[in-house]
Amino acid sequence: MSFSPRYRALVYGSLIASFLVVVWGGIVRVTGSGLGCPDWPLCHGQFLPSLDPATRIEWTHRFLAIVGGLTVASLVLWSLIVYRADRRLLVLAIAVAVLYPLQAVLGAITVVLELPPEWVTVHLANAELLLAALTILAVIVRWPKIARERAPGWTWLAVAAAAGTFVLLVSGAYVRGANATTACLNWPLCGAPASMPPELLNTTVNRFVPSIDFPTNGAAAIAMLHRYIAAGVGVVVLLACIEAWRHRRDAPGLGPLAIGTAVIFIVQVAIGAANPLSGFSPWALGAHPAVASLLWCSVIGLAAVAWRPASQQGALVRDLIALTKPAIMSLLLLTALGGMFLAAHGIPPFGILAATLIGGAAASGGAASLNHYFDRDIDERMRRTRHRPLPAHRVPTGVAVWWGIALNVIAFVVLVVFANLLAATLALAGTVFYILVYTVWLKRSTAQNIVIGGAAGAIPPLVGWAAVTGSLDLSAWLLFAIVFFWTPAHFWALALLIRDDYERAGVPMLPVVRGDEATAWNILAYAASLLPLTLLLFIIGGLGYVYLAVAVILGGLFIAYAFRLLRSGAAGRRAMARAVYLYSLLYLALLFVAVFFWTPAHFWALALLIRDDYERAGVPMLPVVRGDEATAWNILAYAASLLPLTLLLFIIGGLGYVYLAVAVILGGLFIAYAFRLLRSGAAGRRAMARAVYLYSLLYLALLFVAIMVDSTLRL
């Protein structure tokens, strides 16, 4: 496909504009101007405030972000309207459409929370991902046919260099966020800290002192860890550049990108060394993050030119990802998030949240990979699974086993270090139960295999709850029970769809052993059991009336779908089984979304109303700890984050324009209410908090009604 010169110019312009935003963001961090505008989206309550140096720097960053946002929005619209037939451009345009507004939300959260290092790091990581998407887009429009060729084996180095550079960037952002930039006064070793007494400092001059040159704690250890990462990544980057130069005739642009990347990396190392050696002069502090982003774009460009989807490396990566069953993983992580948000009565701590998602993803992926190994004989006999990596003999069985074990080890280490032992033990127990009890024993021996084996899939909410609280209570076990009773209804609907496959493979699933009608009765029984369980969670878990309404409506629809499956004849049973299967996925996802995505804005508005009660009871709700204005900013940030999330559901969830229109209107009104709460004075804040609280109830109710109406209209 050829691209018009104007579209190419818009792609390049969007990349340059976004690059300038990121570079200026580095200047904001280096100069300590992150709170030059302590509010958001205005600055000191005005669009154009008085321009003292810190305010001028932060305001310029926001102005560049607005200009870049308009450029990126034009690019996304042009891509979707004119070039949506090109799948590469469509995927990248959607990614950019999500990442740019998310960057604005993360920027608001970072300012409101007064620059915590974790959120500063996430803010920069998202910006670099945006730059990566735009860089790949620029490569595609510059060399449109390049991605259809086959790549040699060395391209693994280019991809590894890109991944390593991203880790290096994130570690650098954390160094700045943790105020560890000036912790090491020498290079390449750390050297004595500035806080060391003069008499002790004199004894270490021109001497190697391990405790000083290789610190193991404090800010100096953080700074040195960044240097260790830079050394390892540097080797990979330079090797990738050497191989790219050797293969420069394989693809246009490969030679110049190889030279450019190597030069930029050497310049970046020199600037990094100049920081401590020049006493952290302003030019070195400002140039270091700017050149780091330039290096990132160059490495991504090199990887994009070198990498081809048709290569063996690409196939292996796809197969390793396929072994983790990412679709199932995403649903399990959603239930773990529900447990975390419910346990925290709001937003869990960032570190716990990240550790649980990373550890949970690794545990789920590891269990799935081991399941592939033990089920490979069954998969070979089933049409639905015969093309999986192991039955198709694309991946050796040993790779699947070690991949599964490695992921579980990573999961346990991450959870035990950054969460707690209970969460790590539960995640590992889930894997053991899934493999030994369900896969090896029950699946091959009884028609009730999925009933008992479903306990493995119900463990993630317990992991999420335990990660936050370090214990388990009745609400956590209710979440477990909901997933446990949901599992048979979901999998038996799938079993009705592929009954012939299970019969051919000799797997005693319920439709094979008891027949279709008995299976439909069992699906109805389990669907009906979910309704009282979800109502019990409302009573015991302290959830609001909107959750109650959503639970009742979703549960009623599940029962209705199951009843229609039971009443359908043999001719229509397959179609109804598919409908029940798909609805069961939607049911669990929406039920847990009701628990956590809407929770912060809703409960913080309620907390503003009854702040005195929380203060009297000693409950550290946000208004008590941070004050009314900070709470109002957080409500606005989360209300704003709901809009791209609901639009993402339209894009990937197959919903129609009725839902889209309702989601946009409801989301816009939620943001407007939150903004009015922020602008209200102390006298009117209580009344506006009540309005936001009541509207949040209406918002979620109408959003789910829109989902159901839209789905019904398209049946």
Side-chain angles (χ1 to χ4, degrees):
M1 177 180 288
S2 60
F3 303 100
S4 69
R6 289 185 178 180
Y7 180 74
R8 288 181 178 177
L10 183 59
V11 171
Y12 301 148
S14 298
L15 176 58
I16 293 170
S18 299
F19 179 77
L20 289 176
V21 175
V22 175
V23 168
W24 200 265
I27 295 174
V28 169
R29 290 190 297 275
V30 166
T31 57
S33 304
L35 295 178
C37 293
D39 47 354
W40 190 93
L42 299 177
C43 186
H44 295 287
Q46 306 172 53
F47 177 73
L48 191 62
S50 59
L51 297 179
D52 59 273
T55 302
R56 187 184 304 123
I57 292 171
E58 172 63 13
W59 184 87
T60 303
H61 177 56
R62 296 189 186 183
F63 179 76
L64 289 173
I66 293 172
V67 174
L70 294 174
T71 308
V72 167
S74 303
L75 171 64
V76 170
L77 287 174
W78 196 334
S79 302
L80 294 178
I81 294 171
V82 179
Y83 297 111
R84 63 181 179 275
D86 190 318
R87 183 173 177 81
R88 299 169 301 169
L89 260 64
L90 180 63
V91 170
L92 288 168
I94 292 173
V96 170
V98 172
L99 289 170
Y100 207 97
L102 179 59
Q103 184 68 3
V105 172
L106 290 172
I109 294 173
T110 303
V111 170
V112 169
L113 298 181
E114 299 182 356
L115 312 181
E118 296 87 359
W119 285 105
V120 169
T121 304
V122 172
H123 187 46
L124 179 106
N126 188 79
E128 300 298 347
L129 290 176
L130 174 66
L131 282 182
L134 290 170
T135 301
I136 296 171
L137 193 57
V139 168
I140 290 174
V141 299
R142 176 64 181 85
W143 298 292
K145 297 181 180 179
I146 201 167
R148 296 188 179 92
E149 301 171 5
R150 179 172 290 275
W154 70 269
T155 53
W156 257 110
L157 273 173
V159 176
T165 304
F166 183 76
V167 174
L168 183 60
L169 285 167
V170 171
S171 70
Y174 190 80
V175 168
R176 290 189 293 275
N179 294 319
T181 304
T182 59
C184 289
L185 301 181
N186 210 335
W187 191 92
L189 303 180
C190 187
S195 59
M196 179 174 286
E199 63 275 10
L200 191 59
L201 180 63
N202 292 333
T203 66
T204 63
V205 173
N206 298 323
R207 290 176 55 199
F208 172 71
V209 182
S211 61
I212 292 176
D213 292 314
F214 296 103
T216 57
N217 54 61
I222 296 175
M224 280 305 295
L225 177 61
H226 176 61
R227 295 187 188 182
Y228 301 149
I229 295 172
V233 171
V235 172
V236 178
V237 168
L238 292 177
L239 287 175
C241 292
I242 292 170
E243 287 297 323
W245 177 254
R246 289 178 56 201
H247 295 85
R248 60 189 179 278
R249 293 183 178 83
D250 292 355
L254 205 52
L257 280 169
I259 295 175
T261 301
V263 170
I264 294 170
F265 180 78
I266 293 169
V267 170
Q268 176 68 349
V269 171
I271 295 173
N275 269 283
L277 298 180
S278 67
F280 299 97
S281 61
W283 72 265
L285 287 171
H288 196 50
V291 178
S293 293
L294 182 62
L295 174 65
W296 168 244
C297 291
S298 183
V299 172
I300 287 294
L302 180 68
V305 171
W307 188 255
R308 310 290 182 272
S311 69
Q312 292 180 354
Q313 292 77 22
L316 178 59
V317 170
R318 287 194 298 272
D319 284 338
L320 289 177
I321 293 173
L323 287 174
T324 66
K325 299 184 180 179
I328 295 175
M329 180 196 297
S330 62
L331 196 59
L332 295 178
L333 290 179
L334 188 65
T335 62
L337 276 172
M340 295 184 72
F341 273 71
L342 190 57
H345 300 291
I347 308 171
F350 177 84
I352 297 293
L353 180 66
T356 305
L357 288 179
I358 294 170
S364 171
S369 185
L370 293 172
N371 170 263
H372 274 281
Y373 169 75
F374 286 105
D375 272 355
R376 64 192 186 281
D377 58 327
I378 294 175
D379 289 344
E380 284 185 356
R381 297 195 292 269
M382 295 178 64
R383 279 194 300 267
R384 186 177 72 96
T385 57
R386 65 176 54 160
H387 298 297
R388 286 177 173 176
L390 291 188
H393 304 290
R394 296 195 304 271
V395 174
T397 56
V399 171
V401 172
W402 285 111
W403 177 234
I405 293 173
L407 286 175
N408 275 283
V409 170
I410 291 170
F412 187 84
V413 171
V414 168
L415 288 171
V416 81
V417 172
F418 297 102
N420 53 62
L421 180 60
L422 178 60
T425 303
L426 285 169
L428 190 59
T431 296
V432 172
F433 189 90
Y434 179 57
I435 298 303
L436 298 184
V437 178
Y438 171 69
T439 304
V440 175
W441 175 33
L442 294 174
K443 185 173 183 178
R444 300 166 185 262
S445 60
T446 173
Q448 296 298 310
N449 45 23
I450 202 62
V451 176
I452 305 168
I459 286 180
L462 298 182
V463 174
W465 190 285
V468 172
T469 65
S471 62
L472 298 173
D473 66 11
L474 184 57
S475 295
W477 288 109
L478 277 174
L479 291 174
F480 173 89
I482 288 170
V483 181
F484 181 83
F485 279 86
W486 167 86
T487 302
H490 167 73
F491 275 99
W492 283 334
L494 174 64
L496 283 173
L497 276 173
I498 57 173
R499 172 184 171 173
D500 294 343
D501 261 3
Y502 281 124
E503 196 165 10
R504 186 181 306 109
V507 179
M509 293 298 285
L510 195 63
V512 177
V513 177
R514 300 283 304 281
D516 291 359
E517 188 171 355
T519 303
W521 273 111
N522 276 271
I523 290 173
L524 178 60
Y526 276 90
S529 70
L530 284 168
L531 190 55
L533 284 171
T534 54
L535 297 183
L536 197 57
L537 184 62
F538 162 74
I539 297 169
I540 294 174
L543 292 168
Y545 289 104
V546 174
Y547 165 81
L548 175 64
V550 171
V552 169
I553 294 169
L554 289 175
L557 282 172
F558 205 166
I559 294 170
Y561 269 96
F563 188 72
R564 287 182 61 189
L565 172 64
L566 181 64
R567 297 298 299 266
S568 63
R573 183 155 288 153
R574 183 176 176 82
M576 272 311 304
R578 183 182 300 277
V580 172
Y581 171 70
L582 294 175
Y583 178 77
S584 67
L585 292 169
L586 186 65
Y587 169 88
L588 194 66
L590 294 183
L591 188 71
F592 276 83
V593 165
V595 171
F596 70 89
F597 263 133
W598 156 87
T599 300
H602 168 75
F603 276 104
W604 282 335
L606 176 62
L608 282 174
L609 276 174
I610 56 173
R611 173 183 174 174
D612 294 342
D613 278 355
Y614 281 123
E615 196 164 12
R616 191 178 305 112
V619 179
M621 291 297 284
L622 195 64
V624 177
V625 177
R626 298 290 305 280
D628 292 358
E629 187 171 356
T631 303
W633 273 113
N634 277 270
I635 290 173
L636 177 60
Y638 274 87
S641 70
L642 283 168
L643 187 56
L645 285 170
T646 53
L647 296 182
L648 193 60
L649 185 60
F650 163 74
I651 295 170
I652 66 176
L655 293 169
Y657 290 104
V658 172
Y659 165 80
L660 176 63
V662 173
V664 170
I665 294 170
L666 289 176
L669 285 173
F670 206 163
I671 294 170
Y673 268 97
F675 189 73
R676 286 183 61 191
L677 171 64
L678 180 65
R679 301 285 294 181
S680 63
R685 184 155 287 154
R686 184 177 176 82
M688 274 310 303
R690 184 182 300 277
V692 172
Y693 172 70
L694 294 174
Y695 179 76
S696 69
L697 296 170
L698 183 66
Y699 169 87
L700 199 63
L702 292 180
L703 188 69
F704 279 96
V705 168
I707 290 172
M708 288 178 286
V709 170
D710 189 279
S711 301
T712 303
L713 290 174
R714 293 180 296 108
L715 283 177

